[in-house]
Structures are given as structure tokens and as C-alpha cells.
Amino acid sequence: MKTIIEPFKIKTVEPIRFTTRRERERVLTDAGYNLFNIHAEEVLIDLLTDSGTAALSAQQWAGIMEGDEAYAGSRSFYRFEQTVREITGFRHIIPTHQGRAAEKILFTITGGEGRIVPNNTHFDTTRANVEMSGAEAVDLPISEGTLPSAPGDFKGNMDLEALESLLRQKERRHIPLCMLTVTNNANGGQPVSMENIRRTSELCHAYGIPLFLDACRFAENAYFIKLREPGYSRRRTREIAREMFSYVDGCTMSAKKDGLVNIGGFLAVNEDDLAQKARSILVVTEGFPTYGGLAGHDLEAIAQGLEEVLDEHYLRYRIRSVNYVGEKLNQIGVPIFQPPGGHAIYLDAKAFLPHIPPHEYPGHALACELYLHGGIRSCEIGSVMFGKTDPETGAFQPAKLELVRLAIPRRVYTQSHMDYVVECVGEVFEKRDTLKGMRIVSEPPVLRHFTARFEPL
Ligand code: F0G
């Protein structure tokens, strides 16, 4: 059979609320035209993030009832530890309440003034944790990785030449570790090839520098390797994932993505000394090493989720369903970051709204109109998020890309929900010439996209 179907049936449903355009206009005006400020109940289809938004399986809910809530040595921790160890092969598995908590611990130990952490592209919390330690976060994506319309199977790859030149220039003590984000969320959700992981590892290790994976979407990345990289089509995704982890010295993980849960994460490392330091911080900031900021039942849900995420029927459906949205948008000429990523479609707002200049925030204007037109919530990843205005001169520095991310929660929406999304984007595309830019009315000093208020021009 050619039709790829959802590999599950639905046991529990959650209603979504229909509103009129007039109601949404009021909601958006009250929210200062900021989609982070609106109540989720006012959203019909929520594509703000794929993080913590997955639907749990019956086995996960059953596991939650089995959760052992012992403070120390909980049975659920040992199940979690064993599952993570089987999948990753790492010696020390340290639970945290989510990905950024693992990052905070890792960079508290390894970061600091004068140090540099290279990455294919840092996600914003990873960058913030590196910078908060005093270190510098350097992004080294391959050049086609930053071009929305360029073709490529592995546009998430690290630029190895740029990495080598950095490693050659700096002393080893200045680079505590190097990271690879799989898939590369900040660059269109594009995967990293096994060859690139292996060669990054060889290069780092030749200079005595440990390599870590930011492994949030490791299963989606592994499945892309199976689909696209020569020599992997007959390998099980689980083995591919294991090979990915075999080249690195540790990982940070947000289980809110490929752990198929609503909360959770971990830090995993091989080195004993690093693990000991991490556990010391963990006890102070997260909790005892056998729960690390999570309930026993959360650990059960993660252990089960990590098994389910590597199921090939699931991954085939997952990657296909995101690709389906991309294909339909391509057919009607909507410009998107090519090819479709693993967890999201990124609309290219610069090409979608060429008449709106970056300082009038085309991505934000598009995200607002998708909400007004069809009740869809998306997320601007452009000059609202990354652009800067000099407070003294008023000079505006735009972001490199003006994207709108349609992140697809795991196992939550059906194909007809996605058909609706495509229709909504298509109708907004038809009337794109009528869209106007936006102006910032007030903004906080940092991470302005979360709380800034806007006005249409
Ligand atoms: N690394 C990557 C690549 C991420 O995408 C995220 C979260 C994190 C780390 C941090 O994990 O949220 O569990 O603390 N990304 C979400 C998103 C928020 O919407 O892309 P966390």
C-alpha cells in the first residue's frame, strides 16, 4: 500500500475551539499582537512548538500509573536509566527537568570567560546557557544550510573547514567542547549526516576536544540518515541512532521532543569526573540524582516514549506527515525553507512578503495573519527574535533569515488538520499583497519576542 497512515488509533480526544475572525481580531489586539500572549484556548491549531506537546500513548499512561515515587533509588529511575543507556551507550545518565537544565549544568562546569563553544547552530537556550557562563557561542553551519531555497539532503551539517580553522587558531583549553544539534532546529530543522557526525568527531578528537550532541530530535535525524545517506537504508533506526551516539562523548536531551513526553530531559556523559561534577550541581538545582527534577512517573513516560519514538512505523509517519505539508505548499508556490525539516515547516517570509522590509517584521506580520485568517498559531524566527535596534543610534540590524515556523506536535494532529493548515497558508498567500508590516510599541531588554507588544502599520 502506498498510503502512509497514522500508526495509531485515537482513544482520548480533546476538543479545539472555533472562533470567528472578529473574535480573533479582538484577542490579538488585546495581546498586543504577540502570539505568545494569547490563551491557548483561543487557538484552533497550535503550531507554536513541537516541544512538550506530544500525545502520550496508552502504554505511557499505564507507565505513569506504575511510577515509583521513591525519593532515592526509584524503580522508575532504573528503567529510565537502562533505556537511555541502551539507546545511547553512555555510562552516566543524569535526569533533568528539561533540556535547558542539562545545558545549564554542562556549561556551568565547562563554560566560562574566554572560552568558545562551536556548534552547527546553537538553539537559543543553548546559546543563552553558553553565554551566561561567560563563554562565546559560535555557529558554524555549512553555507547552503542558511539558504532557504538551496537543495541538500543534510543542510544541518557542520562546516568542517570552518571548525578546523577555529580549532587550529585557538588553544585547546579555550574550547571545552564542541556540539552538534540534531536535527538543526535553528536552521530549518535540517538533519546532520552520519558522515558529518563522524568527521566532526574525528576532527574534535584529533585536537583533544570532546564532542556532544544536542540530541532533542535524534530519532528524526537517524531516520533521515536511513532515508537519505548511502549505506543506511537497510539498517534499523535504533542502530543508526546508536552509531550517532558512538562518535560523541555525551549529549544533552530535551525529552519534550523525541522523548514523546510533556516534560523531561537528561544529560548523558562517559567521563566519570564530569558526571560527578554534574551530579553535585544536580542535587543543588534539580534534585537527587535518581529523579533530577522529575517525578517517578515522568521517568516511566520518558522510558516508554524513547522506545516508541524509534518505532519505524512511527518515524515513517512522522517524517512523511511533515513532508506532506511541505509538498502541498510547494505545489501552490508558497516559499518554504527547502527541503521540509523533521519537526516543522519554515515559511520563508522574506520571499512570501517581499514588499515588507525586515524592519517592519515580515515574519511577524505573516504569523499574525495566519492566526487572524485561520486560528493557527506559529512562531516568527526572524528579526523580532534575532534583529537588533541600537538604542543610541536607532540603527536596525535585521536577522539573517525571516522565517515563520509551523512546528508539528507529535501524534496530535491528523492529515485533515494539516490540509486545513495548507489551505489557510494558501489563502493568505493569495492575498499576500494586502498584508502590512508591524511596529514594536514596547519591548523588554532581552528575549523580546516573548513579551514585546506590536501594532500593525
Ligand atoms: N535544544 C534544541 C535544539 C531545542 O530545540 C530546544 C527546545 C532545547 C535545546 C531546549 O530544550 O525546551 O526542554 O529546555 N526547543 C523548543 C522549540 C522550545 O520550540 O524549538 P527545553
Side-chain angles (χ1 to χ4, degrees):
M1 296 294 294
K2 283 198 287 293
T3 309
I4 298 173
I5 60 170
E6 286 83 359
F8 49 78
K9 53 187 178 169
I10 296 166
K11 194 193 273 292
T12 307
V13 296
E14 187 181 0
I16 51 179
R17 198 164 143 239
F18 291 84
T19 49
T20 61
R21 180 165 179 124
R22 179 166 292 181
E23 284 169 320
R24 293 192 290 274
E25 278 167 358
R26 182 191 47 75
V27 168
L28 200 56
T29 315
D30 290 350
Y33 285 85
N34 188 328
L35 295 165
F36 283 99
N37 278 343
I38 62 184
H39 292 204
E41 281 198 321
E42 319 273 25
V43 175
L44 185 66
I45 299 199
D46 204 344
L47 307 182
L48 186 64
T49 181
D50 65 319
S51 180
T53 50
L56 270 57
S57 68
Q59 287 96 320
Q60 282 177 298
W61 284 114
I64 285 172
M65 288 308 295
E66 292 278 344
D68 175 2
E69 305 304 339
Y71 188 95
S74 138
R75 182 183 65 240
S76 302
F77 170 73
Y78 293 111
R79 179 179 174 207
F80 160 84
E81 183 188 44
Q82 190 189 347
T83 307
V84 176
R85 194 173 282 144
E86 274 169 19
I87 291 171
T88 64
F90 294 124
R91 197 154 50 219
H92 300 283
I93 317 296
I94 299 166
T96 59
H97 80 274
Q98 62 184 87
R100 67 198 71 181
E103 293 165 1
K104 172 81 171 99
I105 292 172
L106 180 62
F107 294 114
T108 301
I109 301 166
T110 61
E113 287 295 328
R115 298 191 162 177
I116 296 175
V117 178
N119 195 325
N120 48 350
T121 315
H122 290 82
F123 178 68
D124 56 7
T125 61
T126 325
R127 170 174 289 278
N129 275 303
V130 169
E131 289 174 352
M132 220 160 79
S133 80
E136 188 189 340
V138 177
D139 291 340
L140 301 173
I142 53 168
S143 57
E144 61 267 38
T146 59
L147 303 173
S149 59
D153 283 341
F154 292 103
K155 284 172 73 178
N157 282 356
M158 173 80 91
D159 182 338
L160 291 161
E161 265 177 43
L163 178 63
E164 180 151 31
S165 122
L166 181 79
L167 299 186
R168 229 186 283 123
Q169 281 166 34
K170 302 286 170 187
E171 282 178 53
R172 200 192 129 185
R173 64 193 168 90
H174 289 137
I175 305 184
L177 59 92
C178 174
M179 274 198 123
L180 269 175
T181 305
V182 296
T183 57
N184 195 342
N185 185 13
N187 262 24
Q190 302 294 313
V192 178
S193 70
M194 191 71 88
E195 190 198 0
N196 193 256
I197 299 174
R198 185 172 42 74
R199 289 183 56 200
T200 306
S201 161
E202 285 164 4
L203 185 57
C204 288
H205 291 151
Y207 283 84
I209 290 163
L211 177 64
F212 274 64
L213 288 186
D214 175 339
C216 301
R217 300 177 179 88
F218 76 97
E220 289 168 5
N221 198 92
Y223 196 70
F224 274 122
I225 289 174
K226 182 181 171 99
L227 290 180
R228 297 181 181 173
E229 193 159 346
Y232 287 93
S233 63
R234 289 173 184 280
R235 298 267 301 275
R236 287 165 63 225
T237 308
R238 200 184 173 90
E239 287 167 32
I240 298 174
R242 184 64 186 250
E243 185 181 337
M244 286 164 53
F245 287 113
S246 76
Y247 296 122
V248 302
D249 304 279
C251 75
T252 55
M253 172 76 186
S254 167
K256 299 173 74 170
K257 287 83 170 171
D258 275 350
L260 294 176
V261 290
N262 308 123
I263 195 73
F266 56 85
L267 171 65
V269 302
N270 279 332
E271 202 200 299
D272 298 338
D273 182 47
L274 181 59
Q276 207 211 305
K277 287 182 182 144
R279 289 198 180 101
S280 304
I281 298 175
L282 187 83
V283 175
V284 180
T285 60
E286 290 280 295
F288 189 72
T290 62
Y291 72 86
L294 294 167
H297 62 246
D298 294 323
L299 294 165
E300 288 283 343
I302 298 171
Q304 181 62 32
L306 287 170
E307 295 288 348
E308 292 175 10
V309 81
L310 288 167
D311 179 288
E312 309 235 331
H313 291 290
Y314 162 76
L315 282 166
R316 185 161 176 251
Y317 138 80
R318 170 69 178 160
I319 298 302
R320 175 62 194 141
S321 57
V322 176
N323 199 59
Y324 173 84
V325 178
E327 242 171 39
K328 295 256 162 180
L329 292 174
N330 282 336
Q331 279 163 13
I332 54 175
V334 172
I336 64 168
F337 196 106
Q338 302 287 2
H343 66 294
I345 295 294
Y346 297 67
L347 303 175
D348 179 359
K350 224 183 250 185
F352 198 114
L353 299 172
H355 61 288
I356 302 182
H359 68 273
E360 293 178 5
Y361 308 112
H364 192 66
L366 177 53
C368 285
E369 186 54 34
L370 292 177
Y371 177 69
L372 291 173
H373 192 76
I376 295 169
R377 177 155 67 169
S378 55
C379 182
E380 190 258 14
I381 304 187
S383 288
V384 173
M385 201 179 268
F386 297 120
K388 289 194 182 82
T389 311
D390 190 309
E392 265 145 46
T393 64
F396 175 76
Q397 196 197 331
K400 278 198 208 105
L401 298 171
E402 302 292 344
L403 303 175
V404 174
R405 186 180 74 168
L406 307 174
I408 316 227
R410 294 170 180 78
R411 305 192 292 207
V412 169
Y413 293 116
T414 64
Q415 186 166 342
S416 50
H417 288 122
M418 291 302 117
D419 286 337
Y420 174 93
V421 170
V422 170
E423 185 181 343
C424 175
V425 176
E427 287 186 7
V428 171
F429 188 57
E430 289 286 305
K431 61 168 184 177
R432 60 192 180 278
D433 294 344
T434 64
L435 267 64
K436 302 225 163 60
M438 310 285 290
R439 185 176 86 78
I440 294 183
V441 179
S442 66
E443 62 178 299
V446 284
L447 295 176
R448 66 178 177 184
H449 54 284
F450 289 123
T451 53
R453 294 183 78 83
F454 301 83
E455 228 172 48
L457 287 166

